[in-house]
Amino acid sequence: MSLAKRVSLIKPSPTLALEARAKAMKKEGIDVISFSAGEPDFDTPEGIKEAAIRAIKEGFTKYTPSSGIEELRQAVADKLAKDLGLSYKSKEVLISCGAKHSLYNIAMALFEEGDEVIIPAPYWVTFPEQVLLSSAKPVIVDAFEDDGFLLKPELFESVITPKTKALILNTPSNPVGSAYDRTHLEKIAEIAVRNNIYIISDETYSEIVYDGFKQVSIASLNKKIFDLTIVVSCASKSYAMTGWRIGYAAGPPYLIEAMGNIQSQSTSNPASISQKAAVEAFSGRYADFINMMVERFDRRRHYIVNRLRNITGITCFLPQGAFYVFPNVKEILGKMFENTVIDSTVKLTEYLLNEAKVAAVPGDAFGAPGYMRLSFASSMENIEKGMDRIENAIRNLR
Ligand SMILES: *Cc1c(COP(=O)(O)O)cnc(C)c1O
């Protein structure tokens, strides 16, 4: 039997694989501390759960319109207006099964063979894989640590060709927590407009920001860039709702309609019950929940960055958003553990898992070897214990 060619183009998500391996070790009774989680460690707020239970009891358990219920599309449009000053009609919003699904619908509706899609590295693992699934070509361009892991406008411009279809921006970003301010976005937008390039703006972490950072959506800068941008986000991270699978895309009506057609012939509507829960989540009644969560993340952020910076050979960018740190471990590479040379971040994370029982994701998975990603969506107690182990394990390298 021969599988379709596209299967061989992609890799399974390395972050999910690592998380699975750490969980399997835990099941065997091994005391593993995982820094690999890609989701908040908080529970979905009670009021949101109650909205879902109500939906079930009231029999809201059938198919809905495949692009999402009007009430939720409108709730998203209202939220985008209030939070980011964006003006979308409900029919310019498509509800999908998580932001990952929204991004997949964009790839299917917009990209094809011969297209190039620019992705700054470090990138979220899914971006290049979805571009490959669409038969287009991912064009990876480095966003350097010295530039705060932000794509330099002149570097963006330098990789544009007549085939360039889109740029995927993720702000605040996973895995780094870097975030673009208005001035920087204006420069990116000017180049995109001049070259007629779409911007896919993944703003999943827009509400998880620190030190008073003010999220600006590139779509809000002017009418020309608004018409070229698709804003993507979800209920998953800000409302601790990763399992509910609700994401959305907002953009030009012709594109949202095309994505809706694809969705109607692939998954149909996201779960009716989750949609009702998301209406409740986006009501504005959970600002206190988000504030509480961000405050807790913030304390852990400072703690983990300080601990990492105190380890000889490690430097660490202070994230402005999301819940990951992305330490630079290049100086540690080349050291020895017993008879093995730890000469890559893949080997370093394997060493940390096997010897220190700590799970971290190698930067290679995000297009940035020499770094690793640690999630601080985990209790302070776990973070303290895990950092002790990392510090010891690195000290034991020769
Ligand atoms: C978690 C994440 C998503 C996916 O969110 P889902 O709604 O769970 O599909 C999208 N983009 C980034 C950058 C993420 O970290």
Side-chain angles (χ1 to χ4, degrees), residues 117-223:
V117 179
I118 299 172
I119 303 170
Y123 48 71
W124 185 47
V125 293
T126 294
F127 296 142
E129 304 296 323
Q130 289 191 343
V131 170
L132 288 170
L133 277 174
S134 78
S135 304
K137 183 182 161 199
V139 174
I140 309 299
V141 52
D142 281 323
F144 298 102
E145 184 173 6
D146 286 348
D147 301 320
F149 291 107
L150 300 174
L151 174 62
K152 268 198 156 137
E154 52 277 27
L155 262 183
F156 170 38
E157 184 138 35
S158 74
V159 293
I160 292 172
T161 75
K163 292 179 175 170
T164 305
K165 190 78 175 269
L167 165 70
I168 303 181
L169 264 195
N170 176 210
T171 177
S173 89
N174 174 3
V176 175
S178 53
Y180 290 81
D181 66 15
R182 176 182 294 274
T183 316
H184 201 126
L185 289 174
E186 277 167 353
K187 291 180 194 153
I188 301 277
E190 188 274 320
I191 296 165
V193 166
R194 184 152 40 78
N195 292 279
N196 205 28
I197 292 169
Y198 285 98
I199 305 276
I200 321 287
S201 185
D202 180 338
E203 303 186 35
T204 289
Y205 296 98
S206 63
E207 290 169 285
I208 304 177
V209 289
Y210 308 107
D211 301 328
F213 180 84
K214 175 88 184 73
Q215 175 78 6
V216 174
S217 175
I218 193 165
S220 71
L221 297 178
N222 60 61
K223 175 79 171 85

Side-chain angles (χ1 to χ4, degrees), residues 98-100 124 170 174 202 204-205 234 236-237 245-246 324:
K100 191 181 271 187
W124 185 47
N170 176 210
N174 174 3
D202 180 338
T204 289
Y205 296 98
C234 52
S236 306
K237 309 289 159 71
R245 310 311 300 134
I246 293 291
Y324 311 97

Side-chain angles (χ1 to χ4, degrees), residues 3 73 78 110 119 135 350 357:
L3 294 172
R73 296 174 90 180
D78 293 346
L110 204 57
I119 303 170
S135 304
E350 273 168 10
K357 310 288 181 272

Side-chain angles (χ1 to χ4, degrees), residues 126-397:
T126 294
F127 296 142
E129 304 296 323
Q130 289 191 343
V131 170
L132 288 170
L133 277 174
S134 78
S135 304
K137 183 182 161 199
V139 174
I140 309 299
V141 52
D142 281 323
F144 298 102
E145 184 173 6
D146 286 348
D147 301 320
F149 291 107
L150 300 174
L151 174 62
K152 268 198 156 137
E154 52 277 27
L155 262 183
F156 170 38
E157 184 138 35
S158 74
V159 293
I160 292 172
T161 75
K163 292 179 175 170
T164 305
K165 190 78 175 269
L167 165 70
I168 303 181
L169 264 195
N170 176 210
T171 177
S173 89
N174 174 3
V176 175
S178 53
Y180 290 81
D181 66 15
R182 176 182 294 274
T183 316
H184 201 126
L185 289 174
E186 277 167 353
K187 291 180 194 153
I188 301 277
E190 188 274 320
I191 296 165
V193 166
R194 184 152 40 78
N195 292 279
N196 205 28
I197 292 169
Y198 285 98
I199 305 276
I200 321 287
S201 185
D202 180 338
E203 303 186 35
T204 289
Y205 296 98
S206 63
E207 290 169 285
I208 304 177
V209 289
Y210 308 107
D211 301 328
F213 180 84
K214 175 88 184 73
Q215 175 78 6
V216 174
S217 175
I218 193 165
S220 71
L221 297 178
N222 60 61
K223 175 79 171 85
K224 281 184 178 150
I225 194 68
F226 179 79
D227 289 342
L228 282 171
T229 302
I230 307 99
V231 176
V232 173
S233 192
C234 52
S236 306
K237 309 289 159 71
S238 313
Y239 302 90
M241 288 176 70
T242 44
W244 299 75
R245 310 311 300 134
I246 293 291
Y248 56 84
Y254 63 89
L255 180 54
I256 293 296
E257 195 190 323
M259 290 163 60
N261 288 342
I262 288 168
Q263 181 161 303
S264 77
Q265 297 296 12
S266 48
T267 58
S268 288
N269 61 277
S272 58
I273 300 150
S274 296
Q275 291 191 64
K276 283 288 188 183
V279 169
E280 174 66 17
F282 298 153
S283 66
R285 284 190 282 274
Y286 296 89
D288 287 348
F289 170 79
I290 296 174
N291 286 340
M292 175 280 293
M293 189 167 66
V294 171
E295 207 173 282
R296 299 269 284 279
F297 282 149
D298 192 18
R299 250 178 282 158
R300 301 171 189 174
R301 174 181 73 121
H302 282 294
Y303 177 81
I304 197 166
V305 168
N306 285 337
R307 288 291 305 263
L308 286 164
R309 285 177 175 173
N310 275 328
I311 299 175
T312 309
I314 292 187
T315 60
C316 188
F317 175 78
L318 181 69
Q320 294 157 284
F323 40 71
Y324 311 97
V325 283
F326 204 62
N328 179 333
V329 295
K330 286 174 190 168
E331 273 192 34
I332 289 166
L333 301 183
K335 294 195 175 198
M336 304 279 294
F337 173 67
E338 294 173 347
N339 293 322
T340 322
V341 192
I342 307 290
D343 55 3
S344 70
T345 19
V346 174
K347 281 198 184 149
L348 180 63
T349 51
E350 273 168 10
Y351 164 71
L352 289 176
L353 187 58
N354 295 333
E355 301 300 323
K357 310 288 181 272
V358 169
V361 189
D364 312 57
F366 310 98
Y371 296 84
M372 57 185 188
R373 190 191 76 173
L374 305 179
S375 159
F376 50 89
S378 164
S379 71
M380 196 62 161
E381 196 191 338
N382 263 328
I383 295 172
E384 285 171 15
K385 214 157 89 179
M387 283 311 306
D388 290 345
R389 291 184 186 184
I390 291 177
E391 195 172 338
N392 269 324
I394 290 178
R395 196 180 297 134
N396 287 339
L397 295 175

